[in-house]
Amino acid sequence: GAGVSQSPSNKVTEKGKDVELRCDPISGHTALYWYRQSLGQGLEFLIYFQGNSAPDKSGLPSDRFSAERTGGSVSTLTIQRTQQEDSAVYLCASTSRRGGVGELFFGEGSRLTVL
Amino acid sequence: QKEVEQDPGPLSVPEGAIVSLNCTYSNSAFQYFMWYRQYSRKGPELLMYTYSSGNKEDGRFTAQVDKSSKYISLFIRDSQPSDSATYLCAMTPQGAQKLVFGQGTRLTINP
């Protein structure tokens, strides 16, 4: 596709369940980012991939959060034992820049609601 | 204290008004400054990109950076209803691999 694709667009789950969020970056983009956007909180950095490696995972809030990237392309963000405070929009972005950030191209996000 | 502070608004102005959006920051290492625009239920998209201090103009939009005051601004002239969106400032040090975002300001332009 032409842009960053995320799925599901909406996810409602019960507290304690695990969820997986998927991101398909723009073809050829080597860097991939996950951000979280909560109401009134702006974008909170979670993790950054260069290729399949994650040099910076400092933003993951707890060990319930993990992410992987395979084939230098698709990435999955997994949240285990979801809590109500995990409710947010999870945004994925990609860029072709290696040195420095450059312009980030964002997907439309996955809106997670934990009941 | 957050590294980047941005008034979340909401801000509502009449069509044709000049809009001023601002961010302050605390990290003097920030060198690249950006403004992203986010329409409802969409991802943010880059609007303006500036390096270090100074002004940059693109059509009705002007971005200003004052590193001495750690203050950046986005001005929108002749505002249009289609400018209604959330505006996020973002910044990063040179060579860094991630952007630090402000909270975003929700702007509504009333016809």
PDB file of all heavy atoms in Angstrom, chain A residues 33 35 37 40-43 45 48 56 58 98 100-101 103-104 106-108 111, chain B residues 2 34 36 38 41-44 46 49 88 92 96-99 101-103:
ATOM      1  N   TYR A  33       8.374   3.121  14.236  1.00  0.00           N
ATOM      2  CA  TYR A  33       8.129   3.632  15.586  1.00  0.00           C
ATOM      3  C   TYR A  33       6.729   3.252  16.043  1.00  0.00           C
ATOM      4  O   TYR A  33       5.790   3.225  15.236  1.00  0.00           O
ATOM      5  CB  TYR A  33       8.223   5.162  15.610  1.00  0.00           C
ATOM      6  CG  TYR A  33       9.569   5.730  15.263  1.00  0.00           C
ATOM      7  CD1 TYR A  33       9.997   5.805  13.941  1.00  0.00           C
ATOM      8  CD2 TYR A  33      10.425   6.207  16.259  1.00  0.00           C
ATOM      9  CE1 TYR A  33      11.237   6.330  13.616  1.00  0.00           C
ATOM     10  CE2 TYR A  33      11.659   6.745  15.942  1.00  0.00           C
ATOM     11  CZ  TYR A  33      12.059   6.804  14.613  1.00  0.00           C
ATOM     12  OH  TYR A  33      13.285   7.323  14.301  1.00  0.00           O
ATOM     13  N   TYR A  35       4.068   4.791  18.909  1.00  0.00           N
ATOM     14  CA  TYR A  35       3.721   5.830  19.867  1.00  0.00           C
ATOM     15  C   TYR A  35       2.335   5.510  20.435  1.00  0.00           C
ATOM     16  O   TYR A  35       1.522   4.830  19.808  1.00  0.00           O
ATOM     17  CB  TYR A  35       3.667   7.216  19.197  1.00  0.00           C
ATOM     18  CG  TYR A  35       5.001   7.881  18.976  1.00  0.00           C
ATOM     19  CD1 TYR A  35       5.777   7.575  17.855  1.00  0.00           C
ATOM     20  CD2 TYR A  35       5.498   8.823  19.874  1.00  0.00           C
ATOM     21  CE1 TYR A  35       7.006   8.204  17.646  1.00  0.00           C
ATOM     22  CE2 TYR A  35       6.712   9.455  19.674  1.00  0.00           C
ATOM     23  CZ  TYR A  35       7.460   9.141  18.559  1.00  0.00           C
ATOM     24  OH  TYR A  35       8.673   9.756  18.360  1.00  0.00           O
ATOM     25  N   GLN A  37      -1.092   7.481  22.133  1.00  0.00           N
ATOM     26  CA  GLN A  37      -1.735   8.781  22.280  1.00  0.00           C
ATOM     27  C   GLN A  37      -2.951   8.617  23.184  1.00  0.00           C
ATOM     28  O   GLN A  37      -3.938   7.983  22.816  1.00  0.00           O
ATOM     29  CB  GLN A  37      -2.165   9.343  20.920  1.00  0.00           C
ATOM     30  CG  GLN A  37      -2.699  10.761  20.989  1.00  0.00           C
ATOM     31  CD  GLN A  37      -2.926  11.355  19.601  1.00  0.00           C
ATOM     32  OE1 GLN A  37      -3.237  10.658  18.640  1.00  0.00           O
ATOM     33  NE2 GLN A  37      -2.758  12.672  19.480  1.00  0.00           N
ATOM     34  N   GLY A  40      -5.447  14.097  25.788  1.00  0.00           N
ATOM     35  CA  GLY A  40      -4.779  15.213  26.441  1.00  0.00           C
ATOM     36  C   GLY A  40      -3.318  14.984  26.774  1.00  0.00           C
ATOM     37  O   GLY A  40      -2.713  15.824  27.426  1.00  0.00           O
ATOM     38  N   GLN A  41      -2.753  13.864  26.325  1.00  0.00           N
ATOM     39  CA  GLN A  41      -1.367  13.544  26.703  1.00  0.00           C
ATOM     40  C   GLN A  41      -0.391  13.637  25.549  1.00  0.00           C
ATOM     41  O   GLN A  41       0.781  13.367  25.725  1.00  0.00           O
ATOM     42  CB  GLN A  41      -1.293  12.138  27.305  1.00  0.00           C
ATOM     43  CG  GLN A  41      -2.066  11.994  28.599  1.00  0.00           C
ATOM     44  CD  GLN A  41      -1.540  12.917  29.683  1.00  0.00           C
ATOM     45  OE1 GLN A  41      -0.346  12.979  29.930  1.00  0.00           O
ATOM     46  NE2 GLN A  41      -2.437  13.670  30.317  1.00  0.00           N
ATOM     47  N   GLY A  42      -0.845  13.947  24.365  1.00  0.00           N
ATOM     48  CA  GLY A  42       0.080  13.999  23.240  1.00  0.00           C
ATOM     49  C   GLY A  42       0.556  12.615  22.868  1.00  0.00           C
ATOM     50  O   GLY A  42      -0.038  11.601  23.255  1.00  0.00           O
ATOM     51  N   LEU A  43       1.635  12.545  22.114  1.00  0.00           N
ATOM     52  CA  LEU A  43       2.177  11.274  21.662  1.00  0.00           C
ATOM     53  C   LEU A  43       3.315  10.851  22.575  1.00  0.00           C
ATOM     54  O   LEU A  43       4.288  11.582  22.761  1.00  0.00           O
ATOM     55  CB  LEU A  43       2.685  11.381  20.226  1.00  0.00           C
ATOM     56  CG  LEU A  43       1.674  11.062  19.123  1.00  0.00           C
ATOM     57  CD1 LEU A  43       0.584  12.104  19.087  1.00  0.00           C
ATOM     58  CD2 LEU A  43       2.377  10.966  17.790  1.00  0.00           C
ATOM     59  N   PHE A  45       6.301   8.209  23.185  1.00  0.00           N
ATOM     60  CA  PHE A  45       7.158   7.247  22.497  1.00  0.00           C
ATOM     61  C   PHE A  45       7.154   5.916  23.239  1.00  0.00           C
ATOM     62  O   PHE A  45       7.265   5.870  24.464  1.00  0.00           O
ATOM     63  CB  PHE A  45       8.578   7.798  22.428  1.00  0.00           C
ATOM     64  CG  PHE A  45       9.610   6.805  21.983  1.00  0.00           C
ATOM     65  CD1 PHE A  45       9.776   6.523  20.639  1.00  0.00           C
ATOM     66  CD2 PHE A  45      10.413   6.155  22.903  1.00  0.00           C
ATOM     67  CE1 PHE A  45      10.735   5.607  20.220  1.00  0.00           C
ATOM     68  CE2 PHE A  45      11.371   5.245  22.504  1.00  0.00           C
ATOM     69  CZ  PHE A  45      11.538   4.963  21.153  1.00  0.00           C
ATOM     70  N   TYR A  48      11.370   1.987  19.119  1.00  0.00           N
ATOM     71  CA  TYR A  48      11.885   2.313  17.792  1.00  0.00           C
ATOM     72  C   TYR A  48      12.631   1.105  17.240  1.00  0.00           C
ATOM     73  O   TYR A  48      13.420   0.475  17.954  1.00  0.00           O
ATOM     74  CB  TYR A  48      12.804   3.528  17.912  1.00  0.00           C
ATOM     75  CG  TYR A  48      13.920   3.647  16.897  1.00  0.00           C
ATOM     76  CD1 TYR A  48      13.641   3.918  15.570  1.00  0.00           C
ATOM     77  CD2 TYR A  48      15.256   3.511  17.292  1.00  0.00           C
ATOM     78  CE1 TYR A  48      14.667   4.048  14.643  1.00  0.00           C
ATOM     79  CE2 TYR A  48      16.274   3.636  16.374  1.00  0.00           C
ATOM     80  CZ  TYR A  48      15.983   3.902  15.051  1.00  0.00           C
ATOM     81  OH  TYR A  48      16.993   4.024  14.139  1.00  0.00           O
ATOM     82  N   ASP A  56      16.051   1.219  20.787  1.00  0.00           N
ATOM     83  CA  ASP A  56      15.472   2.043  21.844  1.00  0.00           C
ATOM     84  C   ASP A  56      14.073   1.534  22.155  1.00  0.00           C
ATOM     85  O   ASP A  56      13.153   1.713  21.362  1.00  0.00           O
ATOM     86  CB  ASP A  56      15.447   3.516  21.424  1.00  0.00           C
ATOM     87  CG  ASP A  56      15.058   4.443  22.555  1.00  0.00           C
ATOM     88  OD1 ASP A  56      14.596   3.961  23.627  1.00  0.00           O
ATOM     89  OD2 ASP A  56      15.191   5.674  22.397  1.00  0.00           O
ATOM     90  N   SER A  58      12.918   2.235  25.343  1.00  0.00           N
ATOM     91  CA  SER A  58      12.844   2.877  26.649  1.00  0.00           C
ATOM     92  C   SER A  58      11.450   3.351  27.025  1.00  0.00           C
ATOM     93  O   SER A  58      11.170   3.588  28.197  1.00  0.00           O
ATOM     94  CB  SER A  58      13.810   4.063  26.702  1.00  0.00           C
ATOM     95  OG  SER A  58      13.441   5.047  25.734  1.00  0.00           O
ATOM     96  N   ARG A  98      18.026   6.979   8.091  1.00  0.00           N
ATOM     97  CA  ARG A  98      18.850   6.182   9.001  1.00  0.00           C
ATOM     98  C   ARG A  98      19.484   7.075  10.066  1.00  0.00           C
ATOM     99  O   ARG A  98      19.530   6.738  11.233  1.00  0.00           O
ATOM    100  CB  ARG A  98      19.952   5.456   8.223  1.00  0.00           C
ATOM    101  CG  ARG A  98      19.420   4.276   7.424  1.00  0.00           C
ATOM    102  CD  ARG A  98      20.574   3.524   6.770  1.00  0.00           C
ATOM    103  NE  ARG A  98      20.080   2.357   6.053  1.00  0.00           N
ATOM    104  CZ  ARG A  98      19.945   1.169   6.607  1.00  0.00           C
ATOM    105  NH1 ARG A  98      20.237   0.994   7.863  1.00  0.00           N
ATOM    106  NH2 ARG A  98      19.497   0.142   5.898  1.00  0.00           N
ATOM    107  N   GLY A 100      19.216  10.286  12.182  1.00  0.00           N
ATOM    108  CA  GLY A 100      18.236  11.295  12.548  1.00  0.00           C
ATOM    109  C   GLY A 100      16.839  10.842  12.159  1.00  0.00           C
ATOM    110  O   GLY A 100      16.656   9.899  11.416  1.00  0.00           O
ATOM    111  N   VAL A 101      15.853  11.560  12.623  1.00  0.00           N
ATOM    112  CA  VAL A 101      14.476  11.105  12.481  1.00  0.00           C
ATOM    113  C   VAL A 101      13.890  11.435  11.118  1.00  0.00           C
ATOM    114  O   VAL A 101      13.289  10.595  10.469  1.00  0.00           O
ATOM    115  CB  VAL A 101      13.592  11.714  13.589  1.00  0.00           C
ATOM    116  CG1 VAL A 101      12.135  11.322  13.364  1.00  0.00           C
ATOM    117  CG2 VAL A 101      14.041  11.220  14.944  1.00  0.00           C
ATOM    118  N   GLU A 103      11.158  12.976   8.491  1.00  0.00           N
ATOM    119  CA  GLU A 103       9.707  13.019   8.540  1.00  0.00           C
ATOM    120  C   GLU A 103       9.168  11.637   8.885  1.00  0.00           C
ATOM    121  O   GLU A 103       9.527  10.641   8.258  1.00  0.00           O
ATOM    122  CB  GLU A 103       9.138  13.462   7.195  1.00  0.00           C
ATOM    123  CG  GLU A 103       7.616  13.478   7.154  1.00  0.00           C
ATOM    124  CD  GLU A 103       7.065  13.952   5.833  1.00  0.00           C
ATOM    125  OE1 GLU A 103       7.873  14.267   4.937  1.00  0.00           O
ATOM    126  OE2 GLU A 103       5.831  13.998   5.696  1.00  0.00           O
ATOM    127  N   LEU A 104       8.295  11.588   9.876  1.00  0.00           N
ATOM    128  CA  LEU A 104       7.613  10.351  10.219  1.00  0.00           C
ATOM    129  C   LEU A 104       6.290  10.286   9.475  1.00  0.00           C
ATOM    130  O   LEU A 104       5.551  11.271   9.429  1.00  0.00           O
ATOM    131  CB  LEU A 104       7.354  10.276  11.723  1.00  0.00           C
ATOM    132  CG  LEU A 104       8.566  10.144  12.641  1.00  0.00           C
ATOM    133  CD1 LEU A 104       8.119   9.957  14.084  1.00  0.00           C
ATOM    134  CD2 LEU A 104       9.464   9.007  12.209  1.00  0.00           C
ATOM    135  N   PHE A 106       2.769   8.488   9.588  1.00  0.00           N
ATOM    136  CA  PHE A 106       1.951   7.772  10.553  1.00  0.00           C
ATOM    137  C   PHE A 106       0.804   7.012   9.907  1.00  0.00           C
ATOM    138  O   PHE A 106       0.246   7.450   8.879  1.00  0.00           O
ATOM    139  CB  PHE A 106       1.347   8.755  11.568  1.00  0.00           C
ATOM    140  CG  PHE A 106       2.304   9.245  12.613  1.00  0.00           C
ATOM    141  CD1 PHE A 106       3.090  10.360  12.383  1.00  0.00           C
ATOM    142  CD2 PHE A 106       2.415   8.587  13.828  1.00  0.00           C
ATOM    143  CE1 PHE A 106       3.980  10.817  13.350  1.00  0.00           C
ATOM    144  CE2 PHE A 106       3.293   9.038  14.804  1.00  0.00           C
ATOM    145  CZ  PHE A 106       4.076  10.148  14.560  1.00  0.00           C
ATOM    146  N   GLY A 107       0.439   5.903  10.537  1.00  0.00           N
ATOM    147  CA  GLY A 107      -0.810   5.238  10.222  1.00  0.00           C
ATOM    148  C   GLY A 107      -1.961   5.923  10.936  1.00  0.00           C
ATOM    149  O   GLY A 107      -1.756   6.913  11.653  1.00  0.00           O
ATOM    150  N   GLU A 108      -3.161   5.402  10.765  1.00  0.00           N
ATOM    151  CA  GLU A 108      -4.340   6.012  11.392  1.00  0.00           C
ATOM    152  C   GLU A 108      -4.542   5.542  12.823  1.00  0.00           C
ATOM    153  O   GLU A 108      -5.405   6.066  13.523  1.00  0.00           O
ATOM    154  CB  GLU A 108      -5.583   5.752  10.550  1.00  0.00           C
ATOM    155  CG  GLU A 108      -5.515   6.415   9.185  1.00  0.00           C
ATOM    156  CD  GLU A 108      -6.836   6.459   8.463  1.00  0.00           C
ATOM    157  OE1 GLU A 108      -7.780   5.746   8.889  1.00  0.00           O
ATOM    158  OE2 GLU A 108      -6.947   7.192   7.460  1.00  0.00           O
ATOM    159  N   ARG A 111      -7.252   1.981  17.925  1.00  0.00           N
ATOM    160  CA  ARG A 111      -7.895   2.520  19.132  1.00  0.00           C
ATOM    161  C   ARG A 111      -8.243   1.362  20.053  1.00  0.00           C
ATOM    162  O   ARG A 111      -9.078   0.523  19.718  1.00  0.00           O
ATOM    163  CB  ARG A 111      -9.154   3.304  18.754  1.00  0.00           C
ATOM    164  CG  ARG A 111      -9.836   4.010  19.902  1.00  0.00           C
ATOM    165  CD  ARG A 111     -11.006   4.847  19.389  1.00  0.00           C
ATOM    166  NE  ARG A 111     -10.533   5.879  18.476  1.00  0.00           N
ATOM    167  CZ  ARG A 111     -10.151   7.099  18.845  1.00  0.00           C
ATOM    168  NH1 ARG A 111     -10.219   7.446  20.106  1.00  0.00           N
ATOM    169  NH2 ARG A 111      -9.747   7.972  17.944  1.00  0.00           N
TER     170      ARG A 111
ATOM    171  N   LYS B   2       7.216  17.975  31.925  1.00  0.00           N
ATOM    172  CA  LYS B   2       7.442  17.401  30.604  1.00  0.00           C
ATOM    173  C   LYS B   2       8.541  18.157  29.878  1.00  0.00           C
ATOM    174  O   LYS B   2       8.758  19.347  30.100  1.00  0.00           O
ATOM    175  CB  LYS B   2       6.149  17.483  29.791  1.00  0.00           C
ATOM    176  CG  LYS B   2       5.018  16.596  30.315  1.00  0.00           C
ATOM    177  CD  LYS B   2       3.784  16.764  29.456  1.00  0.00           C
ATOM    178  CE  LYS B   2       2.609  15.954  29.963  1.00  0.00           C
ATOM    179  NZ  LYS B   2       2.805  14.520  29.753  1.00  0.00           N
ATOM    180  N   MET B  34       9.441  20.580  14.574  1.00  0.00           N
ATOM    181  CA  MET B  34       8.414  20.240  13.603  1.00  0.00           C
ATOM    182  C   MET B  34       7.031  20.554  14.130  1.00  0.00           C
ATOM    183  O   MET B  34       6.814  20.607  15.349  1.00  0.00           O
ATOM    184  CB  MET B  34       8.466  18.740  13.300  1.00  0.00           C
ATOM    185  CG  MET B  34       9.636  18.330  12.445  1.00  0.00           C
ATOM    186  SD  MET B  34      10.221  16.696  12.897  1.00  0.00           S
ATOM    187  CE  MET B  34      11.780  17.082  13.660  1.00  0.00           C
ATOM    188  N   TYR B  36       3.201  19.010  13.424  1.00  0.00           N
ATOM    189  CA  TYR B  36       2.361  18.014  12.785  1.00  0.00           C
ATOM    190  C   TYR B  36       0.900  18.435  12.945  1.00  0.00           C
ATOM    191  O   TYR B  36       0.522  19.006  13.970  1.00  0.00           O
ATOM    192  CB  TYR B  36       2.561  16.624  13.420  1.00  0.00           C
ATOM    193  CG  TYR B  36       3.777  15.888  12.922  1.00  0.00           C
ATOM    194  CD1 TYR B  36       5.059  16.215  13.370  1.00  0.00           C
ATOM    195  CD2 TYR B  36       3.656  14.852  11.996  1.00  0.00           C
ATOM    196  CE1 TYR B  36       6.172  15.529  12.901  1.00  0.00           C
ATOM    197  CE2 TYR B  36       4.763  14.166  11.524  1.00  0.00           C
ATOM    198  CZ  TYR B  36       6.019  14.509  11.986  1.00  0.00           C
ATOM    199  OH  TYR B  36       7.111  13.831  11.511  1.00  0.00           O
ATOM    200  N   GLN B  38      -3.050  16.908  12.869  1.00  0.00           N
ATOM    201  CA  GLN B  38      -3.779  15.651  13.009  1.00  0.00           C
ATOM    202  C   GLN B  38      -5.281  15.923  12.926  1.00  0.00           C
ATOM    203  O   GLN B  38      -5.843  16.552  13.830  1.00  0.00           O
ATOM    204  CB  GLN B  38      -3.432  14.966  14.331  1.00  0.00           C
ATOM    205  CG  GLN B  38      -4.080  13.614  14.509  1.00  0.00           C
ATOM    206  CD  GLN B  38      -3.669  12.930  15.817  1.00  0.00           C
ATOM    207  OE1 GLN B  38      -3.287  13.584  16.784  1.00  0.00           O
ATOM    208  NE2 GLN B  38      -3.736  11.612  15.841  1.00  0.00           N
ATOM    209  N   ARG B  41      -9.435  11.316  14.150  1.00  0.00           N
ATOM    210  CA  ARG B  41      -9.352   9.882  13.851  1.00  0.00           C
ATOM    211  C   ARG B  41      -8.397   9.567  12.695  1.00  0.00           C
ATOM    212  O   ARG B  41      -8.554   8.548  12.011  1.00  0.00           O
ATOM    213  CB  ARG B  41     -10.732   9.292  13.599  1.00  0.00           C
ATOM    214  CG  ARG B  41     -11.614   9.399  14.830  1.00  0.00           C
ATOM    215  CD  ARG B  41     -12.834   8.540  14.768  1.00  0.00           C
ATOM    216  NE  ARG B  41     -13.523   8.554  16.062  1.00  0.00           N
ATOM    217  CZ  ARG B  41     -13.488   7.553  16.920  1.00  0.00           C
ATOM    218  NH1 ARG B  41     -12.822   6.461  16.649  1.00  0.00           N
ATOM    219  NH2 ARG B  41     -14.128   7.640  18.066  1.00  0.00           N
ATOM    220  N   LYS B  42      -7.421  10.443  12.494  1.00  0.00           N
ATOM    221  CA  LYS B  42      -6.372  10.196  11.509  1.00  0.00           C
ATOM    222  C   LYS B  42      -5.008  10.240  12.201  1.00  0.00           C
ATOM    223  O   LYS B  42      -4.900  10.671  13.344  1.00  0.00           O
ATOM    224  CB  LYS B  42      -6.409  11.273  10.402  1.00  0.00           C
ATOM    225  CG  LYS B  42      -7.709  11.316   9.618  1.00  0.00           C
ATOM    226  CD  LYS B  42      -7.872  10.094   8.762  1.00  0.00           C
ATOM    227  CE  LYS B  42      -9.097  10.218   7.867  1.00  0.00           C
ATOM    228  NZ  LYS B  42      -9.304   8.991   7.049  1.00  0.00           N
ATOM    229  N   GLY B  43      -3.971   9.796  11.492  1.00  0.00           N
ATOM    230  CA  GLY B  43      -2.628   9.920  12.033  1.00  0.00           C
ATOM    231  C   GLY B  43      -2.075  11.316  11.793  1.00  0.00           C
ATOM    232  O   GLY B  43      -2.516  12.023  10.887  1.00  0.00           O
ATOM    233  N   PRO B  44      -1.117  11.758  12.601  1.00  0.00           N
ATOM    234  CA  PRO B  44      -0.495  13.066  12.369  1.00  0.00           C
ATOM    235  C   PRO B  44       0.254  13.087  11.038  1.00  0.00           C
ATOM    236  O   PRO B  44       0.781  12.054  10.601  1.00  0.00           O
ATOM    237  CB  PRO B  44       0.503  13.194  13.535  1.00  0.00           C
ATOM    238  CG  PRO B  44       0.041  12.201  14.561  1.00  0.00           C
ATOM    239  CD  PRO B  44      -0.577  11.085  13.793  1.00  0.00           C
ATOM    240  N   LEU B  46       3.140  15.622   8.772  1.00  0.00           N
ATOM    241  CA  LEU B  46       4.080  16.726   8.909  1.00  0.00           C
ATOM    242  C   LEU B  46       3.592  17.963   8.174  1.00  0.00           C
ATOM    243  O   LEU B  46       3.213  17.907   7.002  1.00  0.00           O
ATOM    244  CB  LEU B  46       5.454  16.313   8.359  1.00  0.00           C
ATOM    245  CG  LEU B  46       6.553  17.347   8.496  1.00  0.00           C
ATOM    246  CD1 LEU B  46       6.875  17.583   9.974  1.00  0.00           C
ATOM    247  CD2 LEU B  46       7.802  16.908   7.742  1.00  0.00           C
ATOM    248  N   TYR B  49       8.814  21.971   9.084  1.00  0.00           N
ATOM    249  CA  TYR B  49      10.053  21.366   9.597  1.00  0.00           C
ATOM    250  C   TYR B  49      11.114  22.453   9.568  1.00  0.00           C
ATOM    251  O   TYR B  49      11.405  23.008   8.519  1.00  0.00           O
ATOM    252  CB  TYR B  49      10.426  20.208   8.682  1.00  0.00           C
ATOM    253  CG  TYR B  49      11.575  19.328   9.114  1.00  0.00           C
ATOM    254  CD1 TYR B  49      11.374  17.966   9.291  1.00  0.00           C
ATOM    255  CD2 TYR B  49      12.861  19.815   9.298  1.00  0.00           C
ATOM    256  CE1 TYR B  49      12.412  17.114   9.656  1.00  0.00           C
ATOM    257  CE2 TYR B  49      13.891  18.988   9.665  1.00  0.00           C
ATOM    258  CZ  TYR B  49      13.674  17.638   9.833  1.00  0.00           C
ATOM    259  OH  TYR B  49      14.696  16.805  10.193  1.00  0.00           O
ATOM    260  N   LEU B  88       0.333  19.448  16.719  1.00  0.00           N
ATOM    261  CA  LEU B  88       1.323  18.909  17.658  1.00  0.00           C
ATOM    262  C   LEU B  88       2.698  19.454  17.297  1.00  0.00           C
ATOM    263  O   LEU B  88       3.134  19.335  16.143  1.00  0.00           O
ATOM    264  CB  LEU B  88       1.369  17.384  17.571  1.00  0.00           C
ATOM    265  CG  LEU B  88       0.082  16.657  17.924  1.00  0.00           C
ATOM    266  CD1 LEU B  88      -0.242  15.617  16.884  1.00  0.00           C
ATOM    267  CD2 LEU B  88       0.212  15.991  19.277  1.00  0.00           C
ATOM    268  N   THR B  92      13.604  17.246  18.324  1.00  0.00           N
ATOM    269  CA  THR B  92      14.597  16.200  18.552  1.00  0.00           C
ATOM    270  C   THR B  92      15.999  16.791  18.494  1.00  0.00           C
ATOM    271  O   THR B  92      16.234  17.756  17.759  1.00  0.00           O
ATOM    272  CB  THR B  92      14.437  15.077  17.498  1.00  0.00           C
ATOM    273  OG1 THR B  92      15.323  14.009  17.798  1.00  0.00           O
ATOM    274  CG2 THR B  92      14.723  15.577  16.095  1.00  0.00           C
ATOM    275  N   ALA B  96      19.501  12.214  16.898  1.00  0.00           N
ATOM    276  CA  ALA B  96      18.648  11.365  17.728  1.00  0.00           C
ATOM    277  C   ALA B  96      17.690  10.577  16.840  1.00  0.00           C
ATOM    278  O   ALA B  96      17.468  10.913  15.677  1.00  0.00           O
ATOM    279  CB  ALA B  96      17.873  12.213  18.732  1.00  0.00           C
ATOM    280  N   GLN B  97      17.129   9.555  17.415  1.00  0.00           N
ATOM    281  CA  GLN B  97      16.305   8.633  16.637  1.00  0.00           C
ATOM    282  C   GLN B  97      14.828   8.707  16.968  1.00  0.00           C
ATOM    283  O   GLN B  97      14.056   7.901  16.461  1.00  0.00           O
ATOM    284  CB  GLN B  97      16.804   7.198  16.843  1.00  0.00           C
ATOM    285  CG  GLN B  97      18.238   6.975  16.415  1.00  0.00           C
ATOM    286  CD  GLN B  97      18.457   7.282  14.949  1.00  0.00           C
ATOM    287  OE1 GLN B  97      17.587   7.056  14.116  1.00  0.00           O
ATOM    288  NE2 GLN B  97      19.617   7.848  14.631  1.00  0.00           N
ATOM    289  N   LYS B  98      14.421   9.642  17.823  1.00  0.00           N
ATOM    290  CA  LYS B  98      12.997   9.723  18.125  1.00  0.00           C
ATOM    291  C   LYS B  98      12.582  11.173  18.326  1.00  0.00           C
ATOM    292  O   LYS B  98      13.385  12.024  18.688  1.00  0.00           O
ATOM    293  CB  LYS B  98      12.655   8.908  19.372  1.00  0.00           C
ATOM    294  CG  LYS B  98      13.264   9.431  20.649  1.00  0.00           C
ATOM    295  CD  LYS B  98      13.015   8.469  21.800  1.00  0.00           C
ATOM    296  CE  LYS B  98      13.621   9.006  23.078  1.00  0.00           C
ATOM    297  NZ  LYS B  98      13.597   8.019  24.181  1.00  0.00           N
ATOM    298  N   LEU B  99      11.304  11.432  18.050  1.00  0.00           N
ATOM    299  CA  LEU B  99      10.729  12.749  18.259  1.00  0.00           C
ATOM    300  C   LEU B  99      10.063  12.809  19.628  1.00  0.00           C
ATOM    301  O   LEU B  99       9.458  11.831  20.076  1.00  0.00           O
ATOM    302  CB  LEU B  99       9.666  13.050  17.204  1.00  0.00           C
ATOM    303  CG  LEU B  99      10.126  13.235  15.767  1.00  0.00           C
ATOM    304  CD1 LEU B  99       8.926  13.526  14.873  1.00  0.00           C
ATOM    305  CD2 LEU B  99      11.142  14.351  15.668  1.00  0.00           C
ATOM    306  N   PHE B 101       7.092  14.813  21.456  1.00  0.00           N
ATOM    307  CA  PHE B 101       5.919  15.583  21.073  1.00  0.00           C
ATOM    308  C   PHE B 101       5.348  16.365  22.243  1.00  0.00           C
ATOM    309  O   PHE B 101       5.432  15.940  23.403  1.00  0.00           O
ATOM    310  CB  PHE B 101       4.819  14.647  20.554  1.00  0.00           C
ATOM    311  CG  PHE B 101       5.042  14.133  19.167  1.00  0.00           C
ATOM    312  CD1 PHE B 101       5.827  13.013  18.939  1.00  0.00           C
ATOM    313  CD2 PHE B 101       4.459  14.757  18.076  1.00  0.00           C
ATOM    314  CE1 PHE B 101       6.025  12.526  17.662  1.00  0.00           C
ATOM    315  CE2 PHE B 101       4.649  14.284  16.796  1.00  0.00           C
ATOM    316  CZ  PHE B 101       5.434  13.167  16.581  1.00  0.00           C
ATOM    317  N   GLY B 102       4.717  17.499  21.916  1.00  0.00           N
ATOM    318  CA  GLY B 102       3.885  18.204  22.871  1.00  0.00           C
ATOM    319  C   GLY B 102       2.527  17.525  22.965  1.00  0.00           C
ATOM    320  O   GLY B 102       2.242  16.557  22.252  1.00  0.00           O
ATOM    321  N   GLN B 103       1.672  18.052  23.838  1.00  0.00           N
ATOM    322  CA  GLN B 103       0.370  17.435  24.083  1.00  0.00           C
ATOM    323  C   GLN B 103      -0.607  17.649  22.934  1.00  0.00           C
ATOM    324  O   GLN B 103      -1.606  16.930  22.824  1.00  0.00           O
ATOM    325  CB  GLN B 103      -0.262  17.988  25.368  1.00  0.00           C
ATOM    326  CG  GLN B 103       0.505  17.660  26.632  1.00  0.00           C
ATOM    327  CD  GLN B 103       1.406  18.807  27.038  1.00  0.00           C
ATOM    328  OE1 GLN B 103       2.173  19.342  26.227  1.00  0.00           O
ATOM    329  NE2 GLN B 103       1.329  19.198  28.294  1.00  0.00           N
TER     330      GLN B 103
END
